[in-house]
Structure formats: C-alpha cells, structure tokens
Amino acid sequence: MKSSDEKKSLMSYLPDLGSMLVAILVAMAMWYLVSVRDRLEAQVEINVDYYDIPANLVVTDGLVSKIQVRLKGPETLLRSIPRERLVQAINLSGIKKGVTVVPLASEGLGPAFRAFDVVDIQPPRIVVKADTLMERNVPLRTIVDSPLRGGALTVENVSVSPATSILRGPEEVISRITSLPLTIVLDPKAAGTTVEQNVTLDTPSLVTANPTTVRVRYTITSGRTIVSRRCPIVVIGDNSHQYNTSPREMNLMVEVPEALAKNTQYLKQLEITVLPPDMEIGESKKVRARLKLPDGMTVLNPTDEEITVTRGKKSN
C-alpha cells in the first residue's frame, strides 16, 4: 500500500493533469473548427511583381499585372486574408532571348497560402517575350511644328544641346533607329524673337533616352504687325434672333503675324459673342462680351466693355 505522503504527491498532480486535458480538448476543438468544419472555396486577385530579370535582357511582352487564384480552406482563414495587400513575386532569372514559358504553380505562391488547397490559377502560365538590351548613340533631328499654316512663321538658327542622345531598349527596336525626331512647337506670339526652351525627348515604347531633355534655341524670323478689326457682336443661345445688342459691333486692335495680316480667312476667325441671361420681353441687361481668337492673334485694346442686350418681341 502507498504511504500517505505518496498519496498526497499523486493528488497534487491531478489539477495539472486536468488542465492539460482541457488544453488538449480545446486544441482539438479549434483544429476541428479551423481544419474540418465550414471549408469553403474563394477566388482572390493577386498583384504580381517580377524580379531577377537578366541584366542583358529586356522583357517586351507577356507580363501580367494580376492573377486569379481559387483557394479551398477553412472559412475563418479565408475571410481573414488581407486581400488588398496580396502580392506574388515571380522569379524571371531563367528567361532567355525570345519566348520563355513561365508556369505559375501553386508551390510558388509563398507561405501565406500554405494553409489552403490551391484549386486553380488563371492564367496557369505566362509567355514571356524578351530581347537583348541594346544601347545606341543617335543624333537628334529637329521638326518644326507650327499651329499656323501657309508659312506664316519661319525659323532660323536652330540649335540643340546636346545634339545626340543615348537610347537604351530592345535590340529589335534600337537597331532600326538612325535618328530621334525632336519636335519644336512654335508659339505664334513669340514671332520676331529668339526662344530658348527645354524639350523632353519622345521615345518609342520600352526605349529610354539619356538625357531625357535637351536645350533648344531658335529664332522666329517672322515679324508681327498690328491691324484694326471691326467685328459684329453675335448673340448665341436659344432664340438668339429675339435679341439686339448695343453697340452692334466693336473695334479691336489686334497683333498678328505679318504673313497673316491680309489673310481674310484668318482674320474672320476673330469672333465677339454674348450669351443673354433669362429676360422678359422688352427687358435689357448688360453682359460681358466673349472673344474667340485664332492662334497667333493678340488683342491690344481693353475688351472688358459691357454690352447691352435687349429682348424684343417673339417672331410669328
């Protein structure tokens, strides 16, 4: 028979054994709830990042920004996925020049998805197209773009600094480029002056330029002159024929490129309009005139004069 001391010692372990048993039962219940009960399927959208692209290659096509993954697992875990922060990194170190098929296997989804069964991945693979990365130093070819036609603006002494740019991109694209067009958009209001401006180079897709901007200097040799224009005031809006204006026309002093000073079609593009407010028959109100100017024209005299608009009787 056990002594009284041994019995007391045994009894002292019983509360600890009871606690352990409760803990085991709770753990089994949690395992059941998480792993067995209420297993669901859900589809999640995952953003895709790429890394370890070989330094001598440039990817020209085939990359996707997102993939769709169908998962099966415990409801509680599926609902706890932070979907707005799901990102999958894909290793592209094995791609070659040309076409490489990169499978999107469930094993590569990372530790965040190990608690789930991956039912499907769409797309199941990506077809990556790559080309050799090439650099080439090419001259810049200036193209003068003027909003005015008919040779109204002439340009001389065009200089570009630097005169060349180093292009970097796919070999198939770079090898066909012998020069890079540099478009200079003329400002008609700068006629007769020398202009200096920074111009950003426009390169084909996947091609970068170094430097990205160049300094351009040129002289617009066409001068500007002042002409006087007497323009009728036009009422716009619904039932415009019911309204009269006072005065009926305005005299404006405008500055235009010399080559367009006698161009009737160009000068007629100057318009003065008024939009009458809601008015009763016979009522008059003052409104401000609106000017519509063609490119290259500047108004010299103030045009903030208010026009009196009167609504007449309805026409039969």
Side-chain angles (χ1 to χ4, degrees):
M1 296 182 61
K2 295 182 179 180
S3 65
S4 59
D5 292 337
E6 290 176 339
K7 290 181 180 180
K8 291 180 180 180
S9 176
L10 180 60
M11 292 296 293
S12 65
Y13 284 107
L14 289 179
D16 293 336
L17 291 173
S19 300
M20 292 177 61
L21 181 59
V22 171
I24 292 172
L25 292 175
V26 170
M28 291 178 63
M30 292 295 294
W31 173 85
Y32 173 79
L33 289 173
V34 172
S35 302
V36 179
R37 185 175 178 272
D38 295 334
R39 291 178 64 83
L40 300 178
E41 282 192 13
Q43 180 168 291
V44 295
E45 185 177 74
I46 302 176
N47 296 319
V48 180
D49 289 339
Y50 301 92
Y51 66 99
D52 279 356
I53 298 174
N56 65 324
L57 296 179
V58 56
V59 176
T60 59
D61 195 15
L63 300 185
V64 298
S65 60
K66 300 177 184 295
I67 60 175
Q68 304 290 333
V69 179
R70 284 180 59 197
L71 303 172
K72 185 175 183 179
E75 178 184 5
T76 52
L77 293 183
L78 283 173
R79 296 188 184 281
S80 66
I81 297 176
R83 304 191 181 192
E84 70 280 0
R85 298 195 301 272
L86 289 178
V87 178
Q88 177 61 37
I90 297 178
N91 188 339
L92 294 184
S93 60
I95 65 173
K96 307 294 182 183
K97 179 179 179 179
V99 176
T100 305
V101 177
V102 180
L104 300 181
S106 59
E107 294 80 6
L109 288 181
F113 299 93
R114 289 176 183 171
F116 308 101
D117 296 326
V118 178
V119 179
D120 184 42
I121 299 177
Q122 290 297 328
R125 67 191 64 83
I126 57 174
V127 181
V128 179
K129 295 181 180 179
D131 196 3
T132 302
L133 187 61
M134 180 181 180
E135 285 190 355
R136 187 178 189 180
N137 193 11
V138 299
L140 303 179
R141 175 170 47 88
T142 57
I143 299 174
V144 176
D145 182 14
S146 171
L148 305 180
R149 298 184 178 181
L153 297 178
T154 56
V155 177
E156 293 182 359
N157 304 322
V158 179
S159 64
V160 181
S161 179
T164 63
S165 181
I166 299 175
L167 302 184
R168 191 170 188 262
E171 180 181 17
E172 183 180 2
V173 178
I174 298 294
S175 60
R176 296 197 301 261
I177 301 176
T178 56
S179 64
L180 189 66
L182 174 63
T183 302
I184 302 172
V185 181
L186 301 182
D187 181 0
K189 297 178 182 179
T193 66
T194 296
V195 179
E196 290 190 19
Q197 61 184 134
N198 291 324
V199 179
T200 301
L201 300 180
D202 186 15
T203 58
S205 177
L206 301 177
V207 175
T208 59
N210 184 23
T212 58
T213 61
V214 294
R215 188 70 174 171
V216 177
R217 178 185 174 93
Y218 56 91
T219 300
I220 302 178
T221 54
S222 309
R224 292 177 66 81
T225 188
I226 298 174
V227 297
S228 175
R229 293 292 296 168
R230 193 157 190 83
C231 302
I233 299 172
V234 179
V235 179
I236 59 175
D238 297 334
N239 303 316
S240 58
H241 60 281
Q242 298 180 12
Y243 298 87
N244 298 313
T245 66
S246 178
R248 293 181 178 271
E249 55 186 14
M250 292 178 63
N251 190 50
L252 297 179
M253 302 298 293
V254 296
E255 186 183 70
V256 299
E258 286 181 347
L260 297 175
K262 296 181 180 181
N263 188 317
T264 304
Q265 185 177 1
Y266 172 77
L267 296 176
K268 281 184 176 180
Q269 295 180 52
L270 169 62
E271 295 181 358
I272 305 175
T273 62
V274 291
L275 178 63
D278 292 335
M279 299 168 60
E280 300 293 335
I281 295 176
E283 186 180 2
S284 297
K285 288 187 178 181
K286 290 185 176 293
V287 296
R288 291 194 178 276
R290 301 178 180 180
L291 293 184
K292 180 182 178 183
L293 304 176
D295 287 331
M297 180 180 289
T298 304
V299 176
L300 300 180
N301 56 321
T303 57
D304 57 355
E305 178 181 347
E306 288 189 328
I307 309 299
T308 300
V309 179
T310 303
R311 183 176 181 182
K313 295 182 179 179
K314 295 182 180 179
S315 59
N316 296 327

